[in-house]
Amino acid sequence: MANRLLRFEVSLFRRSFAIAFGRIRDILLLAVMVMIAVAWLQAQLAAGTWSLPPEGVWLGAVAGPAAFAWQRLVRARLDWLAQSSPLAADALDRRSRRTYIIASQFGAAVPLGIGAILVAAATGRPAATLLLSALAFGIGVGLAWIPRPGAKRTHQPVSRAPAPPCPQHPSPPRRAAFRALLRSQTLGSARPERAAALMLAATFALVTGAAWIGADQPDALRFALVAAPSLLAALAAGRLDAELVGFFPYAGYRASFLALAVAALPAAIFAAAAAALVTVRPMDWPIMVAVLFLLHLALILFAVARVWLYPGRNRRSAELQAELEFAGLAGVALMLPPLALVALGWRMWTLRRRYRSLMWLQL
């Protein structure tokens, strides 16, 4: 009999996709973006104009962190299935778990494999790139499944909706909401302000060290070393509590407040990285700052789009829609940047209108 865990996940994906793209307008927008991105990629490959320097082979090492992060998600998903789903018996069965884990590899291996092939073609060193990508992928998978020390903890949401202020402990609603968001961005830290400060200090120190270490390295490797600390910190700060965010419009918190609160920590992370580059001033540091700004801006806009989609939606469908739409926008941006800017502005405006339509109160 087919693995029930896999059938359950496939049915959830189909339902999430149907919810995310239930309107003709959304389907047409997604289809247009995908067709433009595919046409651009075909044109670039046919013309042979897309190329990277030979040292770009190190981009294949990105498969390691990506595989590690994916396996952590799979592990957390299995834990949830074993604790809170109607298929707990299947999730605890060794054979079903093994089948689920093996099948889940395709979710990371296929896109990473396509990326490795494209990088191999662009650098002109296919054997080295593919071998490095496969090795990094295997290391990432292995590290993710190493048993962690200590007892296992039940997976719990990292935060809850902010409690209303009381006379004994007065707390402004906006400050409490911002602190709750910051707690989810700092991986559920009991002291989110201190955790955020440590994250910024670590970003500054790591970027400074990477600039010194990579001073004599090739351009692609030097930029990868400098960009990695801040981008990884921004990705970690992208973890948000969908249940908490979904409560905000019904409590009267405006879309602009939510966007600023979510963007505060990622923006501070970019500022720490930029300050490190300005302090060390490595070769081509203004270009590095500009590229980092664009990458962090994309992550911030993606986070804002997600939090404007969460209210009234389940987490899976909201994130699926945001990921697919931003992937399409990225393809359009590579081919027609002005059109991508117009499409991005229009889409953010419609998401903001949707959020405002759910507000019950005005704080």
Side-chain angles (χ1 to χ4, degrees), residues 255 304-306 308-309 321 325-326 346-356:
V304 172
R306 285 165 53 208
W308 284 348
L309 274 172
Q321 181 174 350
E325 289 190 0
F326 269 76
W346 171 80
R347 190 54 180 156
M348 297 300 289
W349 178 70
T350 58
L351 292 178
R352 184 174 183 273
R353 284 191 60 190
R354 175 189 178 277
Y355 180 95
R356 292 186 62 185

Side-chain angles (χ1 to χ4, degrees), residues 59-74 105 107-109 111-112 136-137 139-141 144 232 235:
L59 291 174
V62 175
F68 178 85
W70 175 256
Q71 300 308 315
R72 285 294 188 182
L73 291 176
V74 171
Q105 304 308 312
L112 290 175
F137 183 86
I139 293 174
V141 172
L232 290 176
L235 289 173

Side-chain angles (χ1 to χ4, degrees), residues 103-115:
S104 69
Q105 304 308 312
F106 290 96
V110 171
L112 290 175
I114 295 175

Side-chain angles (χ1 to χ4, degrees), residues 66-141:
F68 178 85
W70 175 256
Q71 300 308 315
R72 285 294 188 182
L73 291 176
V74 171
R75 188 170 181 170
R77 181 64 177 171
L78 269 176
D79 291 342
W80 180 87
L81 288 170
Q83 296 165 5
S84 306
S85 77
L87 299 179
D90 296 82
L92 293 172
D93 180 71
R94 181 175 299 179
R95 184 175 180 180
S96 296
R97 288 176 65 89
R98 185 185 304 115
T99 304
Y100 184 93
I101 292 171
I102 294 174
S104 69
Q105 304 308 312
F106 290 96
V110 171
L112 290 175
I114 295 175
I117 292 173
L118 293 176
V119 172
T123 58
R125 300 177 62 182
T129 303
L130 295 178
L131 179 61
L132 179 62
S133 301
L135 181 61
F137 183 86
I139 293 174
V141 172

Side-chain angles (χ1 to χ4, degrees), residues 230-231 234 266 269-270 273 291-301:
S230 64
L231 291 179
I269 291 172
F270 163 73
V291 174
L292 273 182
F293 171 77
L294 293 177
L295 293 175
H296 281 272
L297 179 61
L299 292 176
I300 290 173
L301 291 175

Side-chain angles (χ1 to χ4, degrees), residues 17-269:
F17 189 89
I19 294 174
F21 297 94
R23 295 178 296 181
I24 298 297
R25 182 185 66 185
D26 296 331
I27 296 176
L28 290 177
L29 178 62
L30 176 64
V32 169
M33 290 182 176
V34 170
M35 287 189 293
I36 292 177
V38 171
W40 175 86
L41 183 59
Q42 289 179 341
Q44 295 297 313
L45 294 177
T49 57
W50 187 53
S51 62
L52 290 172
E55 61 266 20
V57 67
W58 289 102
L59 291 174
V62 175
F68 178 85
W70 175 256
Q71 300 308 315
R72 285 294 188 182
L73 291 176
V74 171
R75 188 170 181 170
R77 181 64 177 171
L78 269 176
D79 291 342
W80 180 87
L81 288 170
Q83 296 165 5
S84 306
S85 77
L87 299 179
D90 296 82
L92 293 172
D93 180 71
R94 181 175 299 179
R95 184 175 180 180
S96 296
R97 288 176 65 89
R98 185 185 304 115
T99 304
Y100 184 93
I101 292 171
I102 294 174
S104 69
Q105 304 308 312
F106 290 96
V110 171
L112 290 175
I114 295 175
I117 292 173
L118 293 176
V119 172
T123 58
R125 300 177 62 182
T129 303
L130 295 178
L131 179 61
L132 179 62
S133 301
L135 181 61
F137 183 86
I139 293 174
V141 172
L143 291 176
W145 288 97
I146 293 177
R148 289 172 291 183
K152 295 182 179 179
R153 296 182 299 176
T154 303
H155 176 70
Q156 296 288 346
V158 296
S159 58
R160 287 288 186 266
C166 60
Q168 293 82 4
H169 301 282
S171 176
R174 293 184 186 278
R175 181 179 178 182
F178 176 78
R179 196 170 189 272
L181 284 172
L182 189 62
R183 183 181 296 114
S184 65
Q185 290 179 312
T186 54
L187 309 181
S189 172
R191 297 181 177 180
E193 297 87 353
R194 178 180 297 183
L198 291 175
M199 186 181 295
L200 297 179
T203 300
F204 181 89
L206 290 174
V207 172
T208 302
W212 282 104
I213 294 173
D216 299 328
Q217 300 299 323
D219 292 343
L221 181 57
R222 185 172 70 252
F223 178 74
L225 290 172
V226 170
S230 64
L231 291 179
L232 290 176
L235 289 173
R239 294 172 59 92
L240 295 167
D241 189 342
E243 295 180 0
L244 169 66
V245 174
F247 167 80
F248 276 29
Y250 308 116
Y253 292 97
R254 297 180 182 273
S256 56
F257 164 76
L258 182 57
L260 291 174
V262 168
L265 182 57
I269 291 172

